[in-house]
Amino acid sequence: MIPSWKVDGNYFSRKVPWPVHHVTIGDAACFRVTGRSEHFDALTQRPSAYPAFRWSDGVLTVFVPNWVDHAVPVRWNRIVPQPREWGEFRSANLWVEADNVSIEGIDFRFGLGSGVRIWRGRNVTIQNCVFSGAMAGVSGDGRAKEIVATTDSAQVTSVSGITLTRCLYQNYPQHEWLRDWLSWDEIYAQYASNSLARVRAKQTTITHCLAAHVADAVQASSPSDEPADIAIAKNW
């Protein structure tokens, strides 16, 4: 921990003027606790509690149990866009609005909403990438609407031809959070949507990927009532 932290036993606090949604200690993600400070105290005082954090009124408080190295760096997200869209963060490490895009060999961290968000695009290939610190590794929704400048009318954007291969998504340590500490209901409300991919596209191919510490490993569907060409195979 750096000197700017106020220390009270296993609790470390400091001022952060923007809302904090994601915190890591070293390479490990902390459990986000919302609500009153009493709820945060009660959760972190349970036996076998994992690292956790709470942000309220410009103050970030991080609980670091004794078994975690207190000398490792603590990181949190920068300012992210507001407001939320349908309960999801609009933020992403990379926002795609183009056709025929190839993304390869990138380590995406702290995307919060998504590592890669495909707002509009055909034939987008993502391979050999790693995603952490985001609700979805890759997201794309063919049902999203945009305002067309020439007509001021809403039109459905097009997302199709998404290929995701040889990628890793992880939300460490979600599985461990359930062991002798949190109930399923407590964790499910915040992390139920964590996925390697959350896409609604006419054509989707996901192969040879690994999704660890997730809720729904993959969510893929058609953007409408029309049939979609979806191939999901050889993933773990």
Side-chain angles (χ1 to χ4, degrees):
M1 296 291 184
I2 56 179
S4 56
W5 291 91
K6 177 181 178 181
V7 181
D8 183 9
N10 293 93
Y11 298 89
F12 298 78
S13 60
R14 59 169 298 160
K15 293 183 178 180
V16 179
W18 58 83
V20 175
H21 308 286
H22 190 84
V23 173
T24 60
I25 300 179
D27 292 329
C30 298
F31 181 71
R32 180 187 176 199
V33 182
T34 58
R36 298 176 300 176
S37 60
E38 292 83 357
H39 180 54
F40 178 73
D41 294 340
L43 286 178
T44 54
Q45 289 170 13
R46 293 180 186 176
S48 304
Y50 266 68
F53 76 95
R54 177 180 182 269
W55 181 92
S56 178
D57 298 326
V59 176
L60 170 65
T61 303
V62 181
F63 167 75
V64 186
N66 291 327
W67 52 268
V68 174
D69 184 358
H70 286 208
V72 298
V74 177
R75 300 181 177 90
W76 56 92
N77 61 270
R78 297 177 181 178
I79 299 174
V80 299
Q82 296 289 342
R84 294 185 180 188
E85 178 184 341
W86 295 100
E88 307 298 339
F89 294 110
R90 296 173 59 92
S91 62
N93 294 118
L94 178 62
W95 192 287
V96 177
E97 294 188 67
D99 298 340
N100 306 315
V101 176
S102 179
I103 303 166
E104 183 172 1
I106 300 177
D107 184 357
F108 293 97
R109 300 185 183 183
F110 281 105
L112 293 185
S114 308
V116 175
R117 178 167 179 145
I118 306 168
W119 182 258
R120 179 179 64 247
R122 297 178 177 88
N123 302 324
V124 179
T125 299
I126 304 166
Q127 57 186 341
N128 302 321
C129 292
V130 177
F131 303 99
S132 59
M135 296 190 69
V138 177
S139 63
D141 191 341
R143 300 182 306 175
K145 293 185 177 181
E146 64 176 357
I147 301 299
V148 181
T150 56
T151 63
D152 291 329
S153 62
Q155 294 185 357
V156 177
T157 61
S158 179
V159 176
S160 65
I162 297 176
T163 299
L164 183 62
T165 184
R166 297 188 303 275
C167 291
L168 164 66
Y169 171 89
Q170 61 90 13
N171 186 40
Y172 179 84
Q174 177 168 284
H175 181 66
E176 279 77 3
W177 287 339
L178 292 172
R179 295 180 178 176
D180 303 320
W181 179 33
L182 301 173
S183 68
W184 175 245
D185 290 340
E186 287 170 333
I187 193 174
Y188 186 83
Q190 296 188 54
Y191 297 93
S193 299
N194 283 359
S195 302
L196 164 69
R198 301 176 60 195
V199 296
R200 296 183 178 93
K202 295 179 180 179
Q203 294 177 316
T204 301
T205 302
I206 302 174
T207 62
H208 299 95
C209 292
L210 173 62
H213 307 283
V214 297
D216 298 326
V218 174
Q219 301 178 33
S221 62
S222 169
S224 64
D225 293 334
E226 300 176 0
D229 183 5
I230 299 176
I232 302 174
K234 298 182 179 179
N235 301 290
W236 293 267

